[in-house]
Amino acid sequence: VQLQASGGGLVQPGGSLRLSCAASGLSFSSNHMGWYRQAPGKQRELVAAITPGGATNYAESVRGRFTISRDNAKNTVYLQMNRLKPEDTAVYYCSAGTDWPPRGYWGQGTQVTVSS
């Protein structure tokens, strides 16, 4: 199984980024997909997750600002991040699995830095 995350970078507060995670080696349409993040000195936390059917769950801190979506035809999950805050700075990891929230497989992480 491979999960290839991309789209991270440096953005100013209030800006937007879109993360992508391309999956291979698994039955994508049968797996829950998720995004987690880990800031320096903190534990990894769930940001958002999505079921194969499109039901979603969000951390309270990102609800209304972030949107998770998936394209089963492209084996890709996305995280649209709007109105970014400095506290959103972290390494963001893509995950997949049949558990909920998904933790079975992990991508390599992509750095998101929100700073002026």
Side-chain angles (χ1 to χ4, degrees), residues 16-68:
S16 298
L17 280 176
R18 188 195 196 203
L19 305 183
S20 299
C21 175
S24 60
L26 78 168
S27 178
F28 183 82
S29 60
S30 300
N31 276 260
H32 304 305
M33 300 297 297
W35 287 98
Y36 290 73
R37 68 186 180 187
Q38 187 166 19
K42 294 188 177 181
Q43 291 188 335
R44 190 173 298 188
E45 63 174 357
L46 176 69
V47 175
I50 186 167
T51 69
T56 57
N57 185 43
Y58 294 93
E60 192 59 39
S61 60
V62 307
R63 194 183 306 274
R65 299 188 297 123
F66 291 10
T67 303
I68 188 171

Side-chain angles (χ1 to χ4, degrees), residues 32-101:
H32 304 305
M33 300 297 297
W35 287 98
Y36 290 73
R37 68 186 180 187
Q38 187 166 19
K42 294 188 177 181
Q43 291 188 335
R44 190 173 298 188
E45 63 174 357
L46 176 69
V47 175
I50 186 167
T51 69
T56 57
N57 185 43
Y58 294 93
E60 192 59 39
S61 60
V62 307
R63 194 183 306 274
R65 299 188 297 123
F66 291 10
T67 303
I68 188 171
S69 62
R70 64 190 294 161
D71 186 334
N72 289 340
K74 295 183 178 180
N75 287 5
T76 301
V77 62
Y78 305 96
L79 185 68
Q80 177 67 44
M81 304 185 294
N82 298 328
R83 304 201 310 274
L84 282 159
K85 304 176 181 180
E87 51 263 43
D88 295 317
T89 295
V91 177
Y92 284 70
Y93 297 90
C94 174
S95 71
T98 55
D99 51 344
W100 183 261

